[in-house]
């Protein structure tokens, strides 16, 4: 699976509401899965949205670590108001059982569109 496919699927799962399926994307040693799941559950209760991956870029690679930046958009509606937001995220991925898994994620203070 390419990085683009990995993150496209990741955002598709968030949008679908099947948040239990996110577990396979997170490294078990990370400890951030519960927080991410809670955040996405809260978002889904507050608004109807679609996340679309616009770009994914490999910033650094080691045998046991990837640093990736993605750019995605969130489009939707909250309380009758249209929402169109761009977000840049920095992800670190670590290998677990031979597969890359998200270890941490931070929103990057990129330029607004």
């Amino acid at each position: 699976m390419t990085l683009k496919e990995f993150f496209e699927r990741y955002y598709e799962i968030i949008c679908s509401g099947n948040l239990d399926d996110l577990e396979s994307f997170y490294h078990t040693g990370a400890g951030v899965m519960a927080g991410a799941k809670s955040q996405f559950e809260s978002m889904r209760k507050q608004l109807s949205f679609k996340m679309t991956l616009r770009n994914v870029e490999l910033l650094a690679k080691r045998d046991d670590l990837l640093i990736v930046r993605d750019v995605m958009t969130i489009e939707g509606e909250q309380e009758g108001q249209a929402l169109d937001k761009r977000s840049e995220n920095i992800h670190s991925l670590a290998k677990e059982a031979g597969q890359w898994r998200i270890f941490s994620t931070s929103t990057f203070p990129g330029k607004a569109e």
Side-chain angles (χ1 to χ4, degrees), residues 53-102:
L53 182 67
R54 298 295 179 196
N55 188 41
V56 63
E57 175 184 11
L58 178 63
L59 300 178
K61 181 179 181 180
R62 303 270 188 233
D63 290 340
D64 59 348
L65 175 70
L66 297 179
I67 305 297
V68 176
R69 179 188 338 211
D70 75 20
V71 178
M72 45 84 68
T73 55
I74 303 171
E75 300 172 65
E77 187 176 310
Q78 181 177 21
E79 298 176 4
Q81 298 293 319
L83 172 72
D84 188 2
K85 182 179 177 189
R86 179 181 183 269
S87 178
E88 291 188 32
N89 305 288
I90 302 292
H91 307 276
S92 67
L93 287 82
K95 275 199 175 173
E96 182 172 42
Q99 299 293 317
W100 291 107
R101 302 287 182 241
I102 297 171

Side-chain angles (χ1 to χ4, degrees), residues 31-63:
V32 297
M33 172 58 199
K37 186 177 174 184
S38 177
Q39 175 188 1
F40 296 133
E41 285 173 343
S42 178
M43 277 179 64
R44 292 192 55 75
K45 289 177 185 174
Q46 295 175 28
L47 62 130
S48 173
F49 63 89
K50 177 183 177 188
M51 296 174 148
T52 305
L53 182 67
R54 298 295 179 196
N55 188 41
V56 63
E57 175 184 11
L58 178 63
L59 300 178
K61 181 179 181 180
R62 303 270 188 233
D63 290 340

Side-chain angles (χ1 to χ4, degrees), residues 2-52:
T2 67
L3 284 173
K4 182 176 187 255
E5 292 167 338
F6 180 92
F7 284 101
E8 282 176 340
R9 183 70 185 128
Y10 175 74
Y11 290 122
E12 285 172 6
I13 288 171
I14 294 167
C15 291
S16 75
N18 297 323
L19 299 179
D20 289 336
D21 292 345
L22 284 180
E23 193 169 322
S24 67
F25 285 83
Y26 284 89
H27 193 285
T28 57
V32 297
M33 172 58 199
K37 186 177 174 184
S38 177
Q39 175 188 1
F40 296 133
E41 285 173 343
S42 178
M43 277 179 64
R44 292 192 55 75
K45 289 177 185 174
Q46 295 175 28
L47 62 130
S48 173
F49 63 89
K50 177 183 177 188
M51 296 174 148
T52 305

